Amino acid sequence: MKNTWKRAFVWCTMVFLTLAAVIAFYFLLQNGSSIMKTVHSIFGSLTSIWIGIGMAYVLDPIIVAGERFLRKKNMKQIPARVLTIVAVLALIVLLVFLICSRLIPRLFDTINSLLSDLPGMQATFNSYLDRVNEWNPQVYEYIINVISFVTDWINTNLYTTINTITQSFLSVINGIVNLFVGLIVLVYAQMSKERFIGQAKKLLYAVCHHRGADTWILDIFRQANLIFSGFITGKIIDSAIVGVICFVCLSFLKIPYSLLISVVIGVTNIIPVFGPFIGAIPCGILLLFVNPWDCLVFVIFILILQQIDGNIIGPRILGNSTGVSAFWVIVAILVFSNLLGIIGMIVGVPIFATLYYIVKRIVEEELARQNLPTDSMDYVRLERIDENNQLIYMADDAVKKKSLAKRRSPKEVWNDTRKTAMLLKNAAERKYKELKNRPRKDGEN
């Protein structure tokens, strides 16, 4: 009797949980947009927290190095960490002060000179249009229509444009506030990082009772930490070096607006692969209106700089921090840019590299369990695996025969086609004669 009641209770509980899951799923389908808005607002309210955690993560190698240096001077851990954090914050404040006092005024001067040069750019553009009109009136008409469309769109959406500019200004102010709060979060995160790590491990061991599984999860997180820290920190350093080199070289070449262009190139260089082109295209268009020769020199210089960065500077700083090929880097940027926008273009590569590492480790562990090789090159010429788990490779003669079988001349293809057509023709003629000579039944015409 007791077991009967126990089974009934278990079945009732399962039915209740199933109904609850169905109702919850239906609720999610009906209110998915409102739930996503709520989740987005919650994450938006924690922007300063994410900024602080991000800065703490990026600056952690510097803080650890400074703390280790002070510990060698017989300083205790807490005072060494506090002094290191204070020094890092002072360095950040100094950099912000230098940017605000030196860089931003020069940027404003560059922008003011750019605005003052707009009439000259317009005259240059009009002269280009006159040449296009002489060369091909249809192309000239097409360009005029495009300009008219853009002008009408701006006039129609003027209120929206002003509202967007206002929202951008408010976003800048909000970003400054979030940055200030993020610095406070940085201090708390760095002072309590061991406690946070210990709490995370305690939670993992409390939830996961399989000791092999929790060890595997910790290894994945350690590898993800190496990928993210190596890529993001290295990419920031690499972009700063590229920006400085760009400014020095453009100043030497006497390219106008060199500071503004260098800032754009340095910032967009954080985005892998596509970043240099994203920054170079608008800068090249700007220089084209000023002086086409300067635009040509700038384009050639950017191509040379990106080759130097991709083959010398980048590998020296980043190394093989991601562990994925260039093909998968492009795939990661395209996928995560659609999912997360600009942030996805920056962090998409380390996220994809972490997922790639997880899949690779699962596959290699399963192959090792089956006593199979884990090197991908061992499977290039593999024909099959027999029932004794032995790898059978393709023989050189078989490879040659297959390759020769595929390499047929056009004459051979034409002869085979003619033979097939003749066979079909003969078969059709035989069928026609059979139908023609067939004895007719009574009543058939």
Side-chain angles (χ1 to χ4, degrees):
M1 188 71 179
K2 184 177 180 181
N3 292 332
T4 304
W5 280 104
K6 185 176 181 180
R7 286 196 296 270
F9 176 77
V10 171
W11 276 103
C12 291
T13 304
M14 291 177 62
V15 171
F16 173 76
L17 292 177
T18 303
L19 292 175
V22 171
I23 294 172
F25 183 71
Y26 176 78
F27 177 79
L28 288 175
L29 290 178
Q30 294 294 324
N31 303 278
S33 59
S34 60
I35 292 174
M36 290 303 297
K37 289 180 181 179
T38 303
V39 173
H40 182 73
S41 63
I42 292 173
F43 275 89
S45 62
L46 298 176
T47 302
S48 57
I49 303 295
W50 305 131
I51 292 175
I53 293 175
M55 289 192 299
Y57 184 78
V58 172
L59 296 174
D60 184 68
I62 301 175
I63 295 175
V64 169
E67 182 181 347
R68 188 181 296 115
F69 175 77
L70 294 177
R71 290 291 300 276
K72 291 181 180 179
K73 304 296 182 181
N74 298 325
M75 186 178 290
K76 294 183 178 181
Q77 182 179 3
I78 300 299
R81 181 169 299 178
V82 171
L83 186 60
T84 305
I85 293 175
V86 170
V88 170
L89 291 178
L91 181 62
I92 293 175
V93 172
L94 179 61
L95 289 175
V96 172
F97 173 76
L98 291 175
I99 291 174
C100 294
S101 62
R102 301 289 183 181
L103 184 61
I104 292 181
R106 294 192 62 181
L107 282 176
F108 275 111
D109 293 339
T110 303
I111 294 173
N112 289 330
S113 64
L114 175 61
L115 294 176
S116 62
D117 292 339
L118 283 178
M121 293 181 185
Q122 184 178 2
T124 304
F125 183 69
N126 290 332
S127 65
Y128 290 158
L129 289 180
D130 294 336
R131 295 177 186 175
V132 171
N133 189 20
E134 296 175 357
W135 170 64
N136 194 329
Q138 294 180 352
V139 176
Y140 173 80
E141 191 69 24
Y142 177 76
I143 296 174
I144 293 298
N145 291 332
V146 171
I147 295 174
S148 300
F149 173 77
V150 174
T151 305
D152 294 338
W153 185 87
I154 293 174
N155 293 330
T156 305
N157 299 275
L158 183 60
Y159 176 76
T160 306
T161 305
I162 295 174
N163 188 28
T164 303
I165 294 173
T166 305
Q167 292 294 330
S168 300
F169 180 73
L170 295 176
S171 299
V172 170
I173 297 176
N174 190 27
I176 294 173
V177 175
N178 289 331
L179 180 61
F180 178 76
V181 178
L183 292 176
I184 300 175
V185 175
L186 182 151
V187 175
Y188 281 104
Q190 280 292 330
M191 293 302 298
S192 305
K193 59 183 179 182
E194 287 87 2
R195 179 178 293 275
F196 293 151
I197 294 173
Q199 290 174 347
K201 291 183 179 179
K202 183 171 69 174
L203 178 62
L204 174 63
Y205 285 112
V207 174
C208 184
H209 299 283
H210 193 279
R211 291 297 166 257
D214 50 36
T215 303
W216 190 85
I217 293 173
L218 286 177
D219 290 340
I220 294 297
F221 275 100
R222 292 190 183 100
Q223 183 66 26
N225 176 47
L226 292 176
I227 293 173
F228 271 84
S229 61
F231 179 81
I232 295 176
T233 305
K235 201 62 183 176
I236 291 175
I237 297 173
D238 174 55
S239 301
I241 294 174
V242 168
V244 172
I245 293 175
C246 183
F247 175 70
V248 172
C249 294
L250 291 183
S251 300
F252 176 77
L253 295 172
K254 296 182 180 180
I255 302 295
Y257 316 118
S258 58
L259 180 61
L260 178 63
I261 293 174
S262 301
V263 171
V264 173
I265 294 298
V267 171
T268 56
N269 194 71
I270 297 177
I271 301 173
V273 183
F274 300 106
F277 303 101
I278 294 174
I281 289 174
C283 295
I285 294 174
L286 173 64
L287 292 175
L288 180 63
F289 291 127
V290 177
N291 190 342
W293 175 253
D294 291 337
C295 176
L296 179 61
V297 172
F298 169 75
V299 170
I300 295 174
F301 166 73
I302 288 297
L303 292 176
I304 296 174
L305 178 61
Q306 293 310 318
Q307 291 298 318
I308 295 174
D309 177 44
N311 296 296
I312 299 176
I313 302 176
R316 294 290 181 121
I317 297 175
L318 295 173
N320 192 19
S321 58
T322 58
V324 295
S325 63
F327 172 78
W328 293 116
V329 169
I330 296 175
V331 171
I333 294 171
L334 294 176
V335 171
F336 285 95
S337 62
N338 291 326
L339 296 176
L340 302 175
I342 298 296
I343 301 298
M345 297 183 73
I346 298 174
V347 301
V349 175
I351 292 175
F352 185 87
T354 303
L355 297 176
Y356 183 88
Y357 172 78
I358 294 173
V359 174
K360 178 183 177 182
R361 178 161 178 174
I362 293 173
V363 171
E364 290 183 351
E365 288 179 355
E366 181 62 25
L367 291 174
R369 189 180 65 82
Q370 300 179 29
N371 294 323
L372 295 174
T374 58
D375 190 1
S376 301
M377 299 306 296
D378 292 333
Y379 295 87
V380 174
R381 297 183 63 250
L382 180 67
E383 183 177 358
R384 60 187 175 88
I385 299 177
D386 62 9
E387 56 275 2
N388 296 323
N389 215 25
Q390 298 296 320
L391 278 68
I392 308 299
Y393 291 96
M394 292 184 294
D396 292 337
D397 295 338
V399 175
K400 290 180 181 179
K401 288 179 180 178
K402 289 183 179 180
S403 61
L404 290 174
K406 294 179 181 178
R407 298 175 186 173
R408 295 197 303 164
S409 64
K411 185 177 180 181
E412 293 175 343
V413 174
W414 171 249
N415 291 332
D416 291 343
T417 305
R418 286 185 57 190
K419 291 178 181 179
T420 305
M422 291 298 295
L423 292 174
L424 291 174
K425 179 184 176 183
N426 295 333
E429 289 178 350
R430 286 196 303 269
K431 191 67 176 176
Y432 175 74
K433 289 180 181 179
E434 290 176 0
L435 292 174
K436 185 176 180 181
N437 299 326
R438 173 182 75 168
R440 297 182 181 181
K441 297 180 181 179
D442 295 337
E444 289 184 348
N445 295 326

